Amino acid sequence: MSSLRFKAVQQASKRLPIKVETPDKQPSEYYGKYVFNRKQMAKYLSKETIKVVVDAIDEGKTLPREIAEHVAAGMKMWAMEMGASHYTHWFQPLTDGTAEKHDSFIDYEDAPGGDIIEKFSGKLLAQQEPDASSFPSGGIRNTFEARGYTAWDPSSPAFIVDDTLCIPTVFISYTGEALDYKTPLLKALSAVDKAAVDVCRLFDSKVNKVYSYLGWEQEYFLVDQALYDARPDLNLTGRTLMGHESAKNQQLEDHYFGSIPPRVAAFMREVEFEGYKYGIPLKTRHNEVAPNQFELAPIFGETNLSVDQNLLVISLMHRIAAKHHFKLILHEKPFAGVNGSGKHNNWSLGTDTGVGLFTPGKTANENLQFITFVVNTLMAVYNNNGLLKASIMSAQNAHRLGANEAPPAIISVFLGSQISAVLDKIEESSEDDEITVDELQKMRLGVAHIPEVLIDNTDRNRTSPFAFTGNRFEFRAVGSSANCSSAMTALNSVVAMQLIDFKKDIDAKVKSGMKKEQAIYDTLRLYIKECKAIRFDGNGYSDEWKKEAGKRGLNCETSVPLIFDTYISKESVKLFDSIGVLTERELHARNEVKWETYTKKIQIEARVLGDLSINHIIPVATQYQTLLLDNVYKLRGIFEEKQADELNRDDIALIVDIAKHISGIKTNVDAMVEARKVANKVEGERAKAIEYHDKVAPFFDIIRYHIDKLELIVDNQMWPLPKYRELLFIN
């Protein structure tokens, strides 16, 4: 096995950057080339059809089934001209990935046995029937109840990958329940739109629609394919279950924003070129903090489309990484001791009149609206901080949260000194004073040729899970492998519910005779006082904060299975059901999936760790121990007893250490296997997940400790698995 390691290291060390052909056109000339967007609609659809489709997208109007026929005809013509021969409904089952089943355009012209022609009807565009029992459903679908439906989402344009037309769709069961991430997201976006419009009209009667926007930042690791293949734990679990940290990791802080390695730069360029062809506005690329960790981010966009683009770009990244002999790793914590990877969700709301609802205004009315939406968001996060934590929690993300630069597993909000001061002034004042938010300040550096630096109205807090960053909130706790829909569904839902409650409070005060502005100020004062516990601008890692957060009543639970309970609390069920996002049955079903997925992740890791410990690590440690013993006996055959004992002192100490660590590994692996057997017999997905969390997972760190100690002792030439210094520094 050690020979495999060194062959992998040798192979990885000799890799050269793969040449990437730079398009001979500017991005604006081929942007959206593979997307059936409005530009393509204008070429292949009638004006009447385009109007109906655009109204459905922009105004939320129901799309008539007969229109699907016209769209299908134009879409098929465009797709075939682009070289497509197949089509698929592209949907998002409860696996955090995507699913697709490809069908050819060919069909019989009239009856079976006749001539073959290319067909694509409106029915095939609008609806298909995948096997719903083969995807996670949480008990909504049984094996003998296989029927499910995918239905076209016209708000996210179709696109072509290779020879296949991909049509974004929702996925529901035969009985109507959502079996995917997109369906509840669309409902949450509709709910926040309606609720926010009602509040906006307190300030501007011209507002007819509010959009939810998302700008994601995708962090990831790249590891050479040969090194990855020589690490069964990375291959099967997405993370290293063992491995002593490298003498040099990220402590010099020299990787962040450093020069991008040539092989990685070639990969990044190709991802960008391909992304532009799919209408994905990739804007930023850079080295992240940990070695071999990187990030890319697009310009923000409408939330539903942005989620689809994130899933599509991840698919592109996997394919392009393989072409460059890399393995893309999206696990939230693939390497111990260095930064994990997140997917920061920059979220905002904006009106159809062009106003950003989290952007300070220039008039008193605009600033009152700005503060209204900031405070209501604070209230929403305060009242639902446990639910928001549940929306981003997973077996993988639990390793990342609270480690290195990741935010802690306690949801709080960072506002910055200026916005905090504004809220404090409103809270303490008895007058309805005009709200002013300072514009960007200028900083002079005292160097003549350096221009003035503009200072934002907030600082940044890298330990805050939910931070205000000037014109948006950054939900930093979202994990790198997650589907953004989970966090965005929860966030938009809780804000929608809060805005509904706010509007009711204002209406009640106005009905009692209070002026509208006074009603808004009085309500904001109450909210600012009530949700003050969610505001925290300090160090999220400190033990003091953890104690303080508990005193403030914030959710401090760390057990992943128990965190999921928040989804099915009475409060959460009432919230989701009242705004029409998820029913109680759907929530319970999704939790069944979450618990089952957690159990399977830990179960797989336990099996892999046990296998590697017994079949890879212990034999090598024993082999090295035997060499040391052989040396001890040989020295005793040459030298006198006293001198031999003196010469053998260090070897004997190593032999004893190896024996202790081998015993520690074997004893704990055996105990872990027995704990797993007990856990497997537990009835109920929740109880089983708790048993795996409490009784099986704790063995991982104990076993790893002994293995990592052996890595420092055993001859480097014999160690079978690529080490951290190789995984993280060969690029």
Side-chain angles (χ1 to χ4, degrees):
M1 188 67 181
S2 58
S3 62
L4 175 59
R5 171 190 161 204
F6 287 108
K7 286 178 182 177
V9 170
Q10 185 179 38
Q11 193 174 356
S13 300
K14 292 182 178 180
R15 306 271 199 210
L16 296 175
I18 291 178
K19 185 178 180 181
V20 176
E21 295 295 332
T22 302
D24 56 5
K25 298 178 181 179
Q26 293 300 317
S28 58
E29 298 180 75
Y30 62 87
Y31 188 80
K33 173 183 176 181
Y34 295 142
V35 182
F36 194 66
N37 50 28
R38 297 187 187 193
K39 181 179 178 180
Q40 301 301 337
M41 286 185 195
K43 295 179 182 179
Y44 293 90
L45 303 180
S46 67
K47 291 182 179 179
E48 294 77 14
T49 300
I50 292 173
K51 185 179 185 309
V52 175
V53 174
V54 170
D55 285 347
I57 296 171
D58 292 346
E59 300 178 24
K61 294 182 178 179
T62 302
L63 193 70
R65 287 294 292 257
E66 57 269 18
I67 288 295
E69 287 293 340
H70 300 290
V71 177
M75 195 181 287
K76 185 198 76 172
M77 187 182 301
W78 167 75
M80 292 184 67
E81 288 180 8
M82 292 292 292
S85 58
H86 290 68
Y87 62 91
T88 183
H89 275 198
W90 187 76
F91 58 100
Q92 304 168 27
L94 301 177
T95 59
D96 278 331
T98 58
E100 53 196 72
K101 173 176 71 73
H102 298 189
D103 287 306
S104 169
F105 283 127
I106 66 167
D107 203 347
Y108 289 113
E109 185 173 10
D110 295 311
D115 292 336
I116 291 292
I117 62 169
E118 285 73 29
K119 277 186 179 180
F120 184 57
S121 66
K123 179 181 178 182
L124 294 176
L125 167 63
Q127 179 179 321
Q128 286 192 16
E129 296 183 13
D131 182 352
S133 67
S134 296
F135 292 100
S137 71
I140 285 179
R141 295 274 82 189
N142 293 308
T143 304
F144 60 89
E145 297 173 318
R147 194 181 299 278
Y149 299 111
T150 51
W152 174 37
D153 171 20
S155 65
S156 186
F159 54 90
I160 293 173
V161 176
D162 295 331
D163 64 351
T164 303
L165 172 67
C166 300
I167 303 157
T169 62
V170 299
F171 179 38
I172 60 174
S173 73
Y174 178 72
T175 46
E177 292 90 358
L179 296 177
D180 66 342
Y181 284 105
K182 181 184 276 281
T183 302
L185 175 64
L186 292 174
K187 292 179 178 180
L189 297 178
S190 177
V192 80
D193 168 27
K194 185 178 184 302
V197 165
D198 287 344
V199 173
C200 283
R201 285 179 177 169
L202 294 171
F203 306 93
D204 183 0
S205 60
K206 296 178 182 178
V207 174
N208 293 309
K209 188 170 182 63
V210 169
Y211 299 94
S212 170
Y213 294 108
L214 169 64
W216 41 264
E217 303 169 27
Q218 181 69 61
E219 295 176 343
Y220 60 95
F221 282 86
L222 289 175
V223 171
D224 187 89
Q225 183 72 56
L227 295 170
Y228 173 86
D229 289 340
R231 287 288 308 221
D233 49 353
L234 259 183
N235 211 314
L236 296 175
T237 72
R239 75 180 183 106
T240 52
L241 300 175
M242 58 194 69
H244 198 281
E245 67 179 53
S246 172
K248 177 184 184 296
N249 47 46
Q250 66 185 46
Q251 69 266 46
L252 294 179
E253 300 167 337
D254 55 344
H255 189 259
Y256 190 50
F257 280 23
S259 177
I260 299 173
R263 279 182 68 198
V264 177
F267 161 80
M268 288 177 166
R269 282 197 298 274
E270 187 162 2
V271 169
E272 286 180 355
F273 296 153
E274 289 302 302
Y276 295 154
K277 293 174 186 176
Y278 287 97
I280 303 173
L282 297 176
K283 178 79 171 176
T284 302
R285 67 188 188 200
H286 63 83
N287 286 5
E288 254 301 333
V289 174
N292 271 354
Q293 186 187 34
F294 309 95
E295 180 182 296
L296 83 165
I299 301 170
F300 72 92
E302 186 276 323
T303 296
N304 177 46
L305 178 59
S306 188
V307 169
D308 285 359
Q309 289 179 339
N310 179 250
L311 293 169
L312 176 55
V313 85
I314 285 173
S315 176
L316 293 173
M317 289 169 73
H318 277 294
R319 296 171 63 192
I320 294 169
K323 178 179 175 181
H324 289 258
H325 306 293
F326 282 125
K327 185 64 181 181
L328 178 74
I329 299 178
L330 294 179
H331 193 289
E332 282 73 4
K333 195 72 172 177
F335 304 103
V338 298
N339 268 30
S341 296
K343 179 151 38 192
H344 305 161
N345 279 206
N346 293 277
W347 168 81
S348 62
L349 297 173
T351 70
D352 58 347
T353 58
V355 175
L357 296 175
F358 296 125
T359 302
K362 295 182 179 180
T363 67
N365 188 62
E366 289 174 350
N367 278 328
L368 181 57
Q369 178 176 264
F370 159 68
I371 291 298
T372 294
F373 276 89
V374 167
V375 172
N376 274 283
T377 300
L378 289 176
M379 277 291 287
V381 177
Y382 171 64
N383 288 325
N384 302 278
N385 65 94
L387 175 60
L388 290 175
K389 181 163 72 174
S391 76
I392 55 87
M393 188 52 71
S394 66
Q396 308 97 285
N397 208 18
H399 293 290
R400 163 182 168 256
L401 296 179
N404 299 88
E405 283 194 349
I410 302 169
I411 302 297
S412 62
V413 180
F414 168 82
L415 289 179
S417 58
Q418 186 180 161
I419 305 303
S420 292
V422 171
L423 298 192
D424 291 342
K425 182 179 178 182
I426 295 172
E427 179 188 357
E428 295 164 3
S429 174
S430 59
E431 302 295 328
D432 299 342
D433 299 327
E434 287 190 358
I435 297 172
T436 59
V437 179
D438 293 339
E439 296 182 1
L440 297 179
Q441 303 296 309
K442 295 180 180 179
M443 178 192 295
R444 296 181 182 275
L445 300 182
V447 181
H449 61 279
I450 301 296
E452 293 176 324
V453 175
L454 297 178
I455 305 172
D456 288 287
N457 54 26
T458 66
D459 199 347
R460 296 190 67 182
N461 187 325
R462 297 183 69 87
T463 68
S464 175
F466 197 86
F468 182 70
T469 56
N471 58 6
R472 63 194 182 276
F473 283 94
E474 184 179 12
F475 198 179
R476 294 177 56 84
V478 183
S480 54
S481 68
N483 185 323
C484 298
S485 292
S486 179
M488 288 295 100
T489 297
L491 180 56
N492 283 284
S493 294
V494 300
V495 171
M497 190 72 253
Q498 176 56 42
L499 292 173
I500 291 170
D501 290 342
F502 173 77
K503 184 62 165 55
K504 288 179 181 177
D505 288 344
I506 301 302
D507 289 346
K509 286 183 171 67
V510 171
K511 190 175 182 180
S512 69
M514 190 180 289
K515 289 183 179 180
K516 181 179 70 175
E517 287 74 16
Q518 185 183 352
I520 293 172
Y521 271 101
D522 284 0
T523 304
L524 290 179
R525 285 191 188 97
L526 291 172
Y527 285 2
I528 291 169
K529 292 178 182 178
E530 186 177 346
C531 69
K532 204 164 188 176
I534 201 68
R535 290 159 54 187
F536 177 66
D537 290 0
N539 179 8
Y541 296 144
S542 68
D543 291 334
E544 291 78 8
W545 165 237
K546 294 173 185 177
K547 295 176 184 176
E548 173 65 20
K551 293 178 182 177
R552 293 187 185 190
L554 303 185
N555 188 304
C556 299
E557 182 59 64
T558 58
S559 167
V560 177
L562 294 181
I563 288 171
F564 291 151
D565 285 348
T566 315
Y567 262 111
I568 53 174
S569 68
K570 291 181 180 179
E571 296 79 7
S572 295
V573 170
K574 181 181 178 182
L575 184 153
F576 283 116
D577 189 56
S578 64
I579 59 175
V581 173
L582 287 163
T583 66
E584 184 172 4
R585 184 172 187 232
E586 288 172 322
L587 286 167
H588 278 275
R590 282 163 190 265
N591 258 27
E592 289 290 307
V593 173
K594 290 177 183 294
W595 286 318
E596 183 181 11
T597 301
Y598 177 84
T599 295
K600 288 178 178 178
K601 294 277 188 183
I602 304 302
Q603 185 183 69
I604 291 169
E605 288 188 352
R607 287 174 172 171
V608 172
L609 181 57
D611 173 46
L612 290 179
S613 298
I614 302 303
N615 295 316
H616 293 64
I617 304 304
I618 288 180
V620 169
T622 303
Q623 185 180 354
Y624 183 62
Q625 186 184 47
T626 301
L627 290 177
L628 293 175
L629 285 167
D630 184 57
N631 190 54
V632 168
Y633 281 112
K634 286 178 178 177
L635 286 173
R636 284 182 174 174
I638 297 174
F639 300 99
E640 294 181 0
E641 183 178 347
K642 185 176 181 181
Q643 187 177 7
D645 288 344
E646 181 70 24
L647 293 172
N648 282 324
R649 183 182 300 162
D650 291 338
D651 279 353
I652 291 173
L654 287 176
I655 291 166
V656 171
D657 283 346
I658 291 172
K660 288 179 180 178
H661 291 307
I662 289 176
S663 176
I665 293 170
K666 183 66 168 64
T667 299
N668 284 285
V669 167
D670 289 346
M672 180 180 69
V673 171
E674 291 305 311
R676 199 172 73 233
K677 289 178 180 178
V678 172
N680 289 338
K681 295 177 181 178
V682 173
E683 296 293 331
E685 295 300 342
R686 179 181 181 274
K688 185 179 291 187
I690 291 171
E691 186 75 8
Y692 261 92
H693 175 276
D694 294 349
K695 301 296 177 61
V696 178
F699 284 105
F700 292 2
D701 287 342
I702 300 171
I703 295 168
R704 178 175 192 147
Y705 167 80
H706 291 291
I707 293 174
D708 290 356
K709 288 297 183 182
L710 285 176
E711 184 181 328
L712 295 178
I713 297 173
V714 172
D715 182 356
N716 180 61
Q717 296 294 317
M718 298 173 65
W719 194 255
L721 305 176
K723 298 186 176 185
Y724 270 29
R725 65 172 182 256
E726 295 151 359
L727 293 167
L728 292 174
F729 288 95
I730 296 179
N731 50 32

